[in-house]
Amino acid sequence: MSSFQLNLNPLKEPLGFIKVLEWISAIFAFATCGGYKGKTEILVKCPKDPENKTVTAPFAYPFRLNQASFQAPPRVNVCDIDWKNYVLLGDYSSSAQFYVTFAVFIFLYCIAALLVYVGYINMYRDNRKLPMIDFVVTLVATFLWLVSTSAWAKALTDIKIATGHNIVQELKPCQKVTCYFGSVTSMGSLNVSVIFGFLNMILWGGNAWFVYKETSLHSPSNTSASHNQGGIPPPSGI
């Protein structure tokens, strides 16, 4: 294996420049989803207490809502109900974890690819296998960005429903006491994660052409190139 030689010129070409954009977009994709923490609140009015009490259900990534139990304020009795026995509905961890795990993998792959581009670009272009591997990974990544982002977008829609106004109708205690939906933490960062997921799909799909140009499928082989560039001309006819 040739020694590492720093060469930043590939970063000025579409091959390296788009890879930097993919690296940055992958960071935003898993950070905006994996770092989310929120809560949903309902207001409870007890028959013997004119003042409304607040009950909260905190939830976070990976969005196992069926493990997010409601919590009453410390040392406050809310209608003689043990709210810890009641949880939100739904488990969306599979879609969320698939999306975040794939984004982290892409983040690591971009680092490895950029190291090859800036340190071993000559070896990359002289070796027929490396560009082909890069091209196959690019096609697979484009498809998986579509699949993972679509699954996560559907899960996010269900999360918004499960933590919204519908919880008042689903909670059993709210069939005995009066409940009102209070609020839910903004999910703007989760919406951004979906946007970055589709943005990554576009970036990887567009970059497939530039990676394809580095492969032997597009570029002539070294043997053909040598014949076309100064090779021995064919003998003339007799």
Side-chain angles (χ1 to χ4, degrees):
M1 185 175 183
S2 60
S3 60
F4 181 89
Q5 295 179 352
L6 183 62
N7 182 5
L8 299 180
N9 287 330
L11 299 182
K12 301 176 183 179
E13 303 173 6
L15 180 69
F17 179 72
I18 296 179
K19 190 67 68 181
V20 173
L21 296 180
E22 292 170 347
W23 176 65
I24 296 174
S25 296
I27 295 176
F28 278 99
F30 68 74
T32 51
C33 178
Y36 180 84
K37 292 183 179 180
K39 62 181 181 180
T40 184
E41 296 180 348
I42 61 173
L43 303 178
V44 181
K45 184 177 181 181
C46 304
K48 299 180 181 180
D49 191 349
E51 184 178 353
N52 292 336
K53 303 293 179 60
T54 302
V55 179
T56 305
F59 59 94
Y61 173 85
F63 305 102
R64 294 188 178 94
L65 300 186
N66 55 359
Q67 298 179 8
S69 60
F70 284 87
Q71 300 176 4
R75 296 182 295 275
V76 175
N77 183 3
V78 181
C79 303
D80 295 325
I81 297 174
D82 188 2
W83 290 93
K84 292 183 179 180
N85 294 330
Y86 301 96
V87 297
L88 296 172
L89 299 178
D91 183 355
Y92 308 97
S93 59
S94 58
S95 298
Q97 288 178 322
F98 175 40
Y99 177 81
V100 171
T101 302
F102 176 66
V104 171
F105 171 79
I106 289 297
F107 165 77
L108 297 176
Y109 178 80
C110 287
I111 293 177
L114 287 172
L115 286 176
V116 173
Y117 292 167
V118 302
Y120 304 96
I121 189 61
N122 291 331
M123 182 190 70
Y124 175 86
R125 284 173 171 161
D126 292 339
N127 190 315
R128 298 180 63 182
K129 292 183 179 180
L130 289 179
M132 186 61 66
I133 293 174
D134 197 14
F135 179 59
V136 172
V137 171
T138 301
L139 294 180
V140 173
T142 303
F143 174 72
L144 290 181
W145 271 122
L146 173 63
V147 173
S148 63
T149 305
S150 299
W152 168 231
K154 175 61 170 61
L156 178 57
T157 301
D158 294 338
I159 291 172
K160 291 179 179 179
I161 295 174
T163 58
H165 294 80
N166 289 340
I167 60 176
V168 175
Q169 303 174 1
E170 301 293 341
L171 277 177
K172 290 184 178 180
C174 292
Q175 298 175 2
K176 301 177 181 179
V177 297
T178 304
C179 299
Y180 305 96
F181 176 75
S183 63
V184 63
T185 305
S186 173
M187 298 185 186
S189 64
L190 299 182
N191 294 331
V192 171
S193 69
V194 173
I195 294 174
F196 271 102
F198 286 115
L199 176 62
N200 272 287
M201 182 196 67
I202 295 173
L203 286 174
W204 282 85
N207 196 32
W209 166 248
F210 298 102
V211 179
Y212 169 75
K213 291 172 65 176
E214 301 292 334
T215 66
S216 58
L217 299 176
H218 179 270
S219 302
S221 63
N222 293 333
T223 304
S224 300
S226 63
H227 280 278
N228 294 334
Q229 301 174 4
I232 301 174
S236 57
I238 299 176

